[in-house]
Amino acid sequence: MAAWSWKSNEIAGWLHSLSLEEYVPAFELHAISSGEVLLELKEEHLKEMGVLKIGHRILLLKKLAELAKRKNSVGTLEMTPAGGAIDVPTLYDRLIDEKWRRNLTYFPKRIFILRHGESEGNVDQRIYARVPDSKLQLTDKGVRQAKDAGKKIKDIIGNESITCYVSPFMRSKQTFEAAKESFLPTQVTWTEEPRIREQEWGNYQDPDTMDEVMQQRRELGSFYFRFQTGERWIVLLSFCYCICSDLCVCHFPSVSQRCRCV
């Protein structure tokens, strides 16, 4: 794939190939999302984007010049009749380009599993009778726990970029918001991932009948028992397999070789 036809994924993969993956969030933030825009970058643009290290700017400008040169040479290649001359250097560039593109599958550098902080449901089981599980919020202690967790993760990864997959549950979103305070704004990308959630035990839980429900669960087996207006564990397990597969092998270079937090 020629550089001028690149999209965000190819641009991120290119940065990774230069060991400059720390700038992926900055490129995404400033909408450098196509090859045409990428090839127009100048030194003043890189400075504005936060590429402050002179050596990194020199390397980027050098590689951008090589991409621009390749663009001009590839643009002159035309189909030749049988027995006609072939532009070998241009053909070689195309083959290298395709080989590079086909190897844009990476494993993430690190994966962090972060549980939500203490929630209202952790300190008062009867709240499930009046507040849906998905809307339970963090306690003050839970917020402090989330902030502490964010600091510990930041100490481990330094200035590396990190992609976070956040459950749609309120307490998980609040945990993410508190944890990310330790990171630079351009360091973190995130997405809401509905497959990351606890087993649903129903819209509301009546504390007066939960003992009977849990007894039925033990009799039928927790793997197959379905809560009324809830779900079976086997359904949730299928979600777990899918999300684990997506996390462990990255097919999207814009998040490849990054740290990941679930």
Side-chain angles (χ1 to χ4, degrees):
M1 180 183 293
W4 68 86
S5 62
W6 284 357
K7 302 300 181 185
S8 296
N9 287 349
E10 287 76 25
I11 293 172
W14 176 70
L15 289 171
H16 285 294
S17 72
L18 301 177
S19 298
L20 297 177
E21 60 269 17
E22 63 191 271
Y23 299 114
V24 171
F27 273 63
E28 294 175 347
L29 179 65
H30 291 275
I32 312 301
S33 56
S34 71
E36 291 182 346
V37 174
L38 176 70
L39 293 173
E40 294 297 325
L41 285 179
K42 302 293 187 293
E43 184 169 11
E44 58 268 25
H45 300 142
L46 295 176
K47 289 180 180 179
E48 291 180 12
M49 291 167 58
V51 184
L52 303 180
K53 296 179 180 178
I54 296 175
H56 288 177
R57 291 203 302 272
I58 291 174
L59 177 59
L60 282 168
L61 291 171
K62 177 182 177 182
K63 295 301 181 180
L64 284 169
E66 291 177 1
L67 291 177
K69 181 179 179 181
R70 183 181 301 178
K71 172 186 177 181
N72 293 333
S73 65
V74 173
T76 63
L77 180 63
E78 297 180 357
M79 295 298 293
T80 58
I86 296 177
D87 186 342
V88 176
T90 299
L91 180 60
Y92 178 78
D93 280 345
R94 283 192 172 181
L95 291 173
I96 293 298
D97 219 24
E98 182 67 12
K99 180 179 182 297
W100 175 84
R101 186 184 68 80
R102 290 177 180 271
N103 284 279
L104 288 181
T105 297
Y106 300 93
F107 292 97
K109 187 174 183 179
R110 298 186 183 91
I111 296 179
F112 296 92
I113 307 296
L114 179 61
R115 188 177 186 273
H116 62 77
E118 181 187 77
S119 72
E120 296 171 317
N122 295 134
V123 297
D124 180 13
Q125 290 289 321
R126 299 184 71 85
I127 196 173
Y128 289 100
R130 60 182 187 276
V131 179
D133 190 13
S134 61
K135 294 184 178 181
L136 294 178
Q137 301 191 40
L138 292 182
T139 63
D140 291 341
K141 179 180 178 181
V143 173
R144 292 195 300 271
Q145 291 172 333
K147 290 182 178 180
D148 288 342
K151 292 176 182 177
K152 291 179 179 178
I153 294 176
K154 181 65 166 63
D155 288 341
I156 294 173
I157 72 171
N159 292 326
E160 296 174 6
S161 57
I162 184 169
T163 298
C164 298
Y165 297 81
V166 184
S167 165
F169 281 33
M170 177 63 69
R171 55 187 178 273
S172 296
K173 290 182 177 179
Q174 291 176 327
T175 298
F176 166 70
E177 291 295 333
K180 79 171 185 177
E181 291 180 6
S182 297
F183 298 88
L184 298 172
T186 58
Q187 192 175 2
V188 180
T189 56
W190 74 283
T191 184
E192 185 174 299
E193 176 50 75
R195 292 175 296 180
I196 303 175
R197 55 178 174 77
E198 298 185 25
Q199 182 183 12
E200 294 183 1
W201 285 18
N203 297 326
Y204 295 97
Q205 299 172 31
D206 183 355
D208 296 329
T209 63
M210 283 306 295
D211 287 342
E212 180 181 350
V213 171
M214 297 307 291
Q215 178 59 35
Q216 292 177 354
R217 184 172 182 242
R218 285 189 290 271
E219 292 173 356
L220 294 175
S222 59
F223 197 69
Y224 297 103
F225 179 78
R226 183 176 69 83
F227 291 90
Q228 186 175 10
T229 71
E231 64 186 351
R232 295 181 175 88
W233 171 245
I234 191 173
V235 174
L236 192 62
L237 185 62
S238 65
F239 294 156
C240 292
Y241 278 124
C242 291
I243 188 64
C244 286
S245 176
D246 289 348
L247 284 172
C248 292
V249 179
C250 176
H251 299 285
F252 304 96
S254 61
V255 295
S256 64
Q257 291 186 340
R258 292 187 186 182
C259 302
R260 298 192 179 186
C261 184
V262 183

